Amino acid sequence: MLDYVHDKEDFKKELSLIGKNKGDFIVKEGDPGDYMFIIVEGKVKVLLRRGKKEIILATLEKGNFFGEMSLFGGNPRSASVQALTDLKLLKITRKDIKRLSKTNPKLLSEFTMGLCTELCQRVSNTSTSLESYFHINRAILKNPKFRNFLQKIWNEKEE
């Protein structure tokens, strides 16, 4: 994502650099938030907890970002993010966005272009996954043997 920002050092100086330790939760599902993060060093997992089950949605590394839906949409966190390694993160707040719009609009524009490009790629990947899930679900509904096989597996997991 930072590939779109020409003066990366200038960009980093405008934001807060924070560190987190392996195992730390950076954000938790349902919490409010008006900031996002860009991973400078390390790796995180994006996850949901449903009862005792943990559903890993993604693993993100250097250059990836998370938290944008809370920053721009004002929504509560849609997932939790946990450090898989020690981390260095750039924190971007709404105040940072407003300040950059006045003090360095070119830098903000480059950041926004990188963000939009990455979000478009994520939507495209999600569309591809949804199409695959559609075909799998259709096959399950049409094939009683396969449906019974999957039901048996799911029942074993729940025990």
Side-chain angles (χ1 to χ4, degrees):
M1 183 189 141
L2 289 177
D3 292 342
Y4 286 84
V5 177
H6 288 90
D7 193 342
K8 291 168 187 50
E9 292 309 311
D10 227 20
F11 186 66
K12 290 176 182 178
K13 288 178 189 173
E14 294 282 352
L15 306 170
S16 302
L17 183 65
I18 64 167
K20 292 288 183 178
N21 297 316
K22 179 180 179 178
D24 287 351
F25 279 88
I26 296 90
V27 298
K28 290 194 175 179
E29 182 180 4
D31 286 352
D34 66 347
Y35 51 89
M36 66 175 282
F37 294 99
I38 299 173
I39 303 169
V40 176
E41 287 180 19
K43 186 188 269 188
V44 302
K45 64 180 175 181
V46 181
L47 62 110
L48 301 173
R49 291 217 187 261
R50 297 298 179 258
K52 294 180 181 179
K53 293 185 180 182
E54 178 179 285
I55 302 166
I56 298 175
L57 302 176
T59 301
L60 304 175
E61 300 179 337
K62 179 181 178 177
N64 290 130
F65 60 89
F66 58 91
E68 72 285 350
M69 293 190 324
S70 288
L71 172 63
F72 293 106
N75 303 319
R77 302 290 179 186
S78 61
S80 297
V81 178
Q82 186 177 22
L84 293 173
T85 64
D86 290 344
L87 295 173
K88 286 187 182 175
L89 304 164
L90 283 175
K91 183 177 182 180
I92 305 168
T93 66
R94 281 196 195 116
K95 286 182 182 179
D96 293 327
I97 299 292
K98 288 178 184 175
R99 179 177 38 76
L100 284 171
S101 71
K102 294 175 184 163
T103 63
N104 201 335
K106 181 176 185 270
L107 196 61
L108 180 60
S109 175
E110 292 169 352
F111 161 72
T112 305
M113 180 59 85
L115 181 73
C116 290
T117 301
E118 179 63 29
L119 289 173
C120 286
Q121 185 59 52
R122 289 181 182 183
V123 168
S124 177
N125 292 345
T126 299
S127 295
T128 301
S129 294
L130 285 173
E131 183 180 3
S132 296
Y133 295 141
F134 169 78
H135 291 296
I136 291 168
N137 284 328
R138 191 170 70 192
I140 291 168
L141 289 173
K142 287 185 174 184
N143 186 329
K145 288 181 181 180
F146 189 56
R147 193 171 51 239
N148 291 337
F149 170 74
L150 282 178
Q151 186 65 44
K152 182 180 176 185
I153 291 172
W154 284 40
N155 288 338
E156 287 173 4
K157 286 183 180 180
E158 291 176 358
E159 292 173 357

